[in-house]
Amino acid sequence: MKPNSGTLVINIMNGGKAEAYEGVYQCTARNERGAAISNNIVVRPSRSPLWTKEKLEPNHVREGDSLVLHCRPPVGLPPPIIFWMDNAFQRLPQSERVSQGLNGDLYFSNVQPEDTREDYICYARFNHTQTIQQKQPISVKVFSMDSLNDTIAANLSDTDIFAKPVTERQPVLLTPTGSTSTKVELRGNVLLLECIAAGLPTPVIRWIKEGGELPANRTFFENFKKTLKIIDVSEADSGNYKCIARNALGSVHHVISVTVKAAPYWITAPRNLVLSPGEDGTLICRANGNPKPSISWLANGVPIAIAPEDPSRKVDGDTIIFSHVQERSSAVYQCNASNEYGYLLANAFVNVLAEPPRILTPANKLYQVIADSPALLDCAYFGSPKPEIEWFKGVKGSILRGNEYVFHDNGTLEIPVAQKNNAGTYTCVARNELGKIQNEVQLEIKDPTMIIKQPEYKVIQRYGQVSFECIIKHDSTLLPTVTWLKDNDELPDDERFLVGKDNLTIMNVTDKDDGTYTCIVNTTLDSVSASAVLTVVARPNPPFDLELTGQLERSIDLSWLPGDENNSPVTSFVIEFEDALHEPGVWRYQTEVPGSQTTAQLKLSPYVNYSFRVIAVNRIGRSQPSEPSEQYLTKSASPDENPANVQGIGSEPDNLVITWEPLKGFQSNGPGLQYKVSWRQKDVDDEWTSVIVANVSKYIVSGTPTFVPYEVKVQALNDLGYAPEPSEVIGHSGEDLPMVAPGNVQVHVINSTLAKVHWDPVPLKSVRGHLQGYKVYYWKVQSLSRRSRRHVEKKILTFRGNKTFGMLPGLEPYSSYKLNVRVVNGKGEGPASPDKVFKTPEGVPSSPSFLKITNPTLDSLTLEWGSPTHPNGVLTSYTLKFQPINNTHELGPLVEIRIPANESSLILKNLNYSTRYKFYFNAQTSVGSGSQITEEAVTIMDEAMASRQVDIATQGWFIGLMCAVALLILILLIVCFIRRNKGGKYPVKEKEDAHADPEIQPMKEDDGTFGEYSDAEDHKPLKKGSRTPSDRTVKKEDSDDSLVDYGEGVNGQFNEDGSFIGQYSGKKEKEPAEGNESSEAPSPVNAMNSFV
C-alpha cells in the first residue's frame, strides 16, 4: 500500500512470479461514519504459449477446388492477433477469393495455379507480452488440368480415362456449416457475423436482416463483405441475420439467430443523502439487464441482513426507506445488481447532520454582466436541515419575487434579461431552525460590445489591395481586443497583412489569400464576431491537353481541358489557327464557343497546314493561349470562292482599272493561284474579253471610251481548277472634266443676310463622269453704305447630288455680291456660269463703337461716341436715354434724346450735382434700332467740399486739433495717477467717455463735414463704370436688388480706343427702367475721387 493512499502496488520486477498474485481484489475504505467498498478487481497474468509441434503434410489440390489452411493458434491471455505472411515477412494478398476468417484460418473459395507455394505461415502476435509466435510453414501444390492430363498421357494407354477439365461449381458455405446457427452477444459490444463460401466463379456475399433493416450508421462490412459488423448493439438488434452467397450457377444461404444479452446497467444509481435528525429519506437502486439482475444491499460492507439493526430504516427490494433518522443512522450503503454476465456496485453515504447555515460564496463578490444577457448571482450554502434561501435588493429592499427572477435550488438568483436598472447590491439570506446568515454581492451591468461596421464581401483581382473594416462600439469600462482570423485560424505571418485599429488591409493579394476573414472582438465579459469572404479573381489559366479527332477533308473535332477559372467563371473559349504553309507564326480567329463547352467541330479549308490553340475568357480578361495542337494538313482542291470587292474605275479618260481583294493563302485551296479577269462594255452586244493574271490585285484595260459602263468579273483558279462562276459588277471607264456650265442662274434675296440661288441642271452626257454635285462661288463686291472696295474673298458652297438650288447664309446687309455655279464630277469642276450680281437690303446697325463720358462738372457731362463698326445701311440718327440713380439706389425718371446721325459728341447740361447717371446709347437705320451700349458717370460736388475731403489730413487746423486732444489725454492720465497715489478714486472710464476722441466722432452734414470717417481704402479711385463689390455682388444690407436687374452681365467690353466700358455693356441691355428700380449709388467722396 502506498502511504496515505488506497493504492495497492504489486511489483514483480525484483523477483517473484506473477501467478502468485493471481486472484480477485477488493478495496475497503472505513472511518467512524461507515465503510465503502470498491468493485472486484481481477488480476491475471498474461500468457503467450508456444505452438504445439505438429507434422504438416503438403496440400495437393486441383485447380478450382476450395481449400482451408488451419491456423489453430495457442490459447493466450489476452487472445493473440492472427495474420498470414510468407518467408520474406510479406503479408499474403487477400481478395474475394482468398481471405482470413475470424478464427484465423485462411480460406480459398477456389484455388488457382498461382496459389502454389511452400511458405504459407500463420503468425500469432501477443501484444501484452510483445511476442510473436510462428506456425510451421504450410505447402500448397495446385495441379492444373492441362498438366495433370499430360502426366496421365505419359503413363497410360489411349483407352484410359483422362482427368476432367475444370468445371464451374455452385456456392457452398465453408463457414459456418449447416443452414442455421446461433450467436449471443452482450449489449454495447460489437457484433461480428461471418460467412465464407466456396464456388467457381468466386461467390459474392450479401447480408439481410429478416423482418427488418440493418441498423443505419452502425453497420459496416469487412473482409470483402464476408463479415457483418454492427457496433454498440442493443436488445433491438436481436433477430435472424441471413447471409447469401451467389455466383452464376446458383446461391446458398445461412441464417444466424442473434440474441443480445445484457450485463446489468444502471437505471437509477443510489445517491448520497444528507439528512438532519428527525427527517425522512430514501435510497433507490434500480438496474436492468438480460436476464434481469438481482438487487442486494450492504451496510458498511456487510450484507444488510446481518448488519447492526437500525429502527429508522426499512429495506423494500431496490429501495431503503429512512424514517425519523437520528445521528447514529449515518452509514455507507452498497447496492449490488448482478446477473450471469456481470454486476454493478455503488456506494451511497447517508449522513445525518445538525448544522446551522453557512454561505460559501465570498462576501461582496462583484458580478459584471452584459446588458440583455442573463445574470447569475451565486449563493452557495450548506446546512442541515437544508436552509431556505431569500434574496433582497439594496440595504432595505423587500424580498425578491415575481417572474422577473428565477430562484435555483442551489441558491443561485438568475435575472434572465439583465437591464441597467438591475445593477446594485443584492443580499442573500440563508436560514434554518439552527440559525441565519446573510451575504452581499454586487452586480454591474455593462453595455454590450457591438460591431457597428462589419466587414463586407469583397471580390478583388490578383495583385490588388483589399481592406476589411471592423468598427466597434463598447462599454467605456471594458478594454476590447480585436483579433483577425483567416478560415478560423491565425492570419498568415506575412508582412502583406496590415492590421489597423479598425481594419485589416491585404496588400498585393494572391490566390492563397482567398477565404473567410473573421473579426473577433473580445472583452472580459463578451465576445462578438463578424465574417466576410474574400474572393480573389484573375484571368483563367490556359486550357491544356488539346486533342484532334474525327479528321475529315473539310472538318475536324478539337477537344481540350479547361484550366483553373480562378474564381471567375469562364464565359467562352476563343479558338485560333495558324497556317504553317502560307502564314507561319500568324494566328487568326477561327471561332468562339460557350464556356460550358470543351469540344468544337471546326470547318477547314483545303491546302492548309492547321495548328489550333484555345484561349479562355472570363470577366477579368483572356487567358494566355494554350499550347498549339498537333498539325493537320488538308488536301488541295479548286478554289471555293472568288476575290471580293471587285471594282472597275478608270484612272484616266481612256482606261478602265479593274481591282479586287486577292484571296488569302488559306483561301487558295491549292498551289498555282491565279485570276481570270473578264470585261465587256455594257449595253453593247460584245463578247467577253478575258486574261489570266498572276496572284495580283489589279489589271488595267487601255483604249476605252470616256466614262462608259463596263461589266466586270474576276474568277480565281489554281492547279486543280476554277472557282465557281463569279458574279458581275458594273464599272466605268475614266472620267473627264464636265463640258457645260449650269444655265439660267437666278438669285432670290430673302433678307439682309440670306439669299436663295437656282440653276438648271446640266445634261448628264456633258458631265462625263459621276455627278457629285454643284459648287456655288460667291463674293462681296462692295458695301453700299461706305462705297469702298476691299480685297475680294470668294466663298464656296457645295451642294451634293443633282440639286438645282441652295441657300447662301451669312451675307452682310446693304452690300453688293456676285456668284457663279459650276458642276462637279470625280475628275473635277466644269466651266463656271456667267457671274450673277445681287444686292442685300439694309439691316439694323451694330452698337456704336464706343461711348466715352468726359469733362464732368457740377451740372454737366460731355458724351463722345464712335459710329457703328457695321452700319448695315444708312444711319438716320442716334438715341440717348439716361436716368439718375439716387442715394437709395433707386432709378429716377428716364430722359430720351434723339441725335442726328452726323453728330459724334454731346454736352448734357442742367444735371444735378454729385449725382450718378446711367446712359443707354444706340444707332438707327431706316430698318430699326441697333443694339445699345451703356455707361455710367457722376457729376462733381461743390469744390470746397471736395477740397476738404481730399486735403483734410494735411490741413493745419486738423493737425492742431489732434495735438490738443493728445495733450488733454496726457493731463488726464497725470491727474488720475496723482489722485490714485493719494488714495482717492477717479472715474477714468466715465471721463474718457465724456471726452471721446473727436477723430472718431461722426461729422455733421450741416457743417460741411462728412458723415463717416473714411480710411485710406475709401480713397482709392473707382474703376470706371463699376460700382459693385469685388465679387460683383451687391450686399443685402446695402440693396435688395441686383445690378443684374438692369441687364449688366459679368463680361466686360472695350471701346475702340481701348478704354473699358464696364459691366453694363457686356451683354445686350434690357430696356431702361422707368420707375423706382434699385442700383448701388456711390458716396460723393468716392464719386469725386473717381474723376480726380
Side-chain angles (χ1 to χ4, degrees), residues 25-67:
Y25 293 78
Q26 190 174 45
C27 171
T28 302
R30 190 185 307 276
N31 64 11
E32 68 274 7
R33 291 283 185 173
I37 61 177
S38 71
N39 284 325
N40 290 339
I41 301 170
V42 179
V43 176
R44 298 179 66 187
S46 63
R47 297 182 178 88
S48 54
L50 298 176
W51 237 292
T52 56
K53 290 187 177 181
E54 57 182 325
K55 184 177 181 181
L56 300 176
E57 297 292 337
N59 292 276
H60 296 87
V61 191
R62 287 193 314 168
E63 179 183 356
D65 289 350
S66 61
L67 174 66

Side-chain angles (χ1 to χ4, degrees), residues 480-607:
T481 59
V482 179
T483 305
W484 287 90
L485 301 179
K486 179 183 183 293
D487 297 329
N488 295 323
D489 203 352
E490 293 183 357
L491 290 178
D493 185 12
D494 193 330
E495 60 184 9
R496 297 182 300 107
F497 288 78
L498 305 177
V499 179
K501 177 183 177 184
D502 51 16
N503 60 24
L504 167 66
T505 301
I506 308 174
M507 313 287 290
N508 197 22
V509 173
T510 63
D511 291 339
K512 66 181 181 181
D513 299 329
D514 198 273
T516 301
Y517 289 83
T518 304
C519 167
I520 301 178
V521 185
N522 290 309
T523 67
T524 54
L525 298 181
D526 63 348
S527 176
V528 292
S529 64
S531 298
V533 174
L534 173 63
T535 300
V536 181
V537 297
R539 296 185 299 170
N541 291 351
F544 57 96
D545 280 357
L546 272 65
E547 183 178 2
L548 296 176
T549 56
Q551 290 90 341
L552 299 174
E553 289 187 4
R554 293 299 182 100
S555 69
I556 196 169
D557 293 330
L558 173 66
S559 62
W560 61 90
L561 294 178
D564 194 335
E565 294 183 336
N566 292 325
N567 293 325
S568 181
V570 171
T571 57
S572 63
F573 291 100
V574 176
I575 302 172
E576 297 179 339
F577 73 93
E578 176 198 27
D579 181 4
L581 191 62
H582 302 98
E583 295 178 311
V586 178
W587 290 90
R588 297 190 179 276
Y589 175 85
Q590 172 81 18
T591 188
E592 187 169 352
V593 298
S596 58
Q597 190 171 323
T598 57
T599 61
Q601 186 176 61
L602 307 177
K603 294 182 179 180
L604 305 180
S605 296
Y607 195 52

Side-chain angles (χ1 to χ4, degrees), residues 743-952:
N744 193 23
V745 177
Q746 301 291 330
V747 179
H748 173 60
V749 177
I750 297 175
N751 56 37
S752 60
T753 61
L754 180 65
K756 184 175 183 180
V757 59
H758 290 263
W759 62 87
D760 290 340
V762 299
L764 289 179
K765 288 186 177 181
S766 66
V767 176
R768 297 203 295 179
H770 294 285
L771 175 64
Q772 294 187 353
Y774 293 87
K775 285 187 178 180
V776 177
Y777 287 75
Y778 65 100
W779 61 96
K780 180 179 176 182
V781 178
Q782 66 177 16
S783 173
L784 299 179
S785 59
R786 298 185 180 179
R787 301 295 180 184
S788 60
R789 293 182 176 273
R790 62 176 183 175
H791 174 69
V792 176
E793 180 184 354
K794 289 188 177 182
K795 296 182 180 179
I796 305 173
L797 284 178
T798 300
F799 300 95
R800 298 290 178 185
N802 196 20
K803 291 190 70 174
T804 59
F805 67 91
M807 307 298 290
L808 305 181
L811 303 177
E812 294 184 13
Y814 204 51
S815 300
S816 175
Y817 281 88
K818 287 185 178 181
L819 65 77
N820 60 53
V821 184
R822 310 176 191 195
V823 67
V824 182
N825 67 9
K827 192 71 173 178
E829 300 175 3
S833 66
D835 291 346
K836 188 73 173 178
V837 178
F838 67 96
K839 297 178 182 179
T840 56
E842 288 188 74
V844 296
S846 63
S847 60
S849 58
F850 66 90
L851 174 62
K852 292 194 294 186
I853 304 174
T854 59
N855 302 326
T857 66
L858 289 175
D859 62 351
S860 69
L861 292 169
T862 300
L863 278 66
E864 297 178 359
W865 61 86
S867 60
T869 306
H870 301 287
N872 295 336
V874 178
L875 295 181
T876 58
S877 63
Y878 293 99
T879 299
L880 173 66
K881 298 178 183 179
F882 64 93
Q883 56 191 149
I885 305 174
N886 61 20
N887 289 336
T888 60
H889 311 297
E890 296 175 346
L891 293 172
L894 186 67
V895 179
E896 181 175 336
I897 300 175
R898 183 79 66 171
I899 304 170
N902 58 354
E903 296 291 339
S904 61
S905 64
L906 176 67
I907 299 175
L908 284 177
K909 297 182 179 181
N910 299 322
L911 302 176
N912 298 327
Y913 77 91
S914 187
T915 300
R916 173 176 288 273
Y917 287 89
K918 186 170 184 179
F919 299 91
Y920 312 88
F921 194 70
N922 60 10
Q924 286 89 27
T925 65
S926 60
V927 177
S929 299
S931 58
Q932 62 185 12
I933 61 172
T934 64
E935 186 59 271
E936 291 187 12
V938 182
T939 56
I940 66 172
M941 64 189 72
D942 124 43
E943 295 179 1
M945 187 181 300
S947 175
R948 182 178 301 176
Q949 171 65 18
V950 174
D951 302 324
I952 185 171

Side-chain angles (χ1 to χ4, degrees), residues 274 353 355-362 367 377-391 407-413 428-432 435-439:
V274 178
L353 288 176
E355 291 284 341
R358 282 184 288 164
I359 294 180
L360 307 180
T361 300
Y367 292 89
L377 308 182
D378 292 334
C379 184
Y381 64 90
F382 180 77
S384 184
K386 180 180 179 181
E388 295 181 357
I389 303 298
E390 294 177 329
W391 282 93
F407 302 94
H408 294 274
D409 291 340
N410 63 356
T412 297
L413 169 65
C428 165
V429 178
R431 60 165 59 90
N432 65 10
K436 167 187 169 184
I437 192 171
Q438 68 180 37
N439 185 36

Side-chain angles (χ1 to χ4, degrees), residues 42 138 167 213 259 299 334 361 374 377 394 397 433 553 599 622 629 648 716 743 769 841 848-849 936 1023 1087:
V42 179
I138 301 175
T167 59
E213 299 289 335
T259 303
Q334 291 83 34
T361 300
L377 308 182
E433 60 192 37
E553 289 187 4
T599 61
R622 295 162 63 102
S629 69
S849 58
E936 291 187 12
K1023 291 184 179 180

Side-chain angles (χ1 to χ4, degrees), residues 711-729:
E711 293 177 309
V712 177
K713 60 183 179 180
V714 180
Q715 185 178 25
L717 66 149
N718 62 17
D719 292 349
L720 281 80
Y722 285 85
E725 184 67 23
S727 58
E728 302 165 4
V729 299

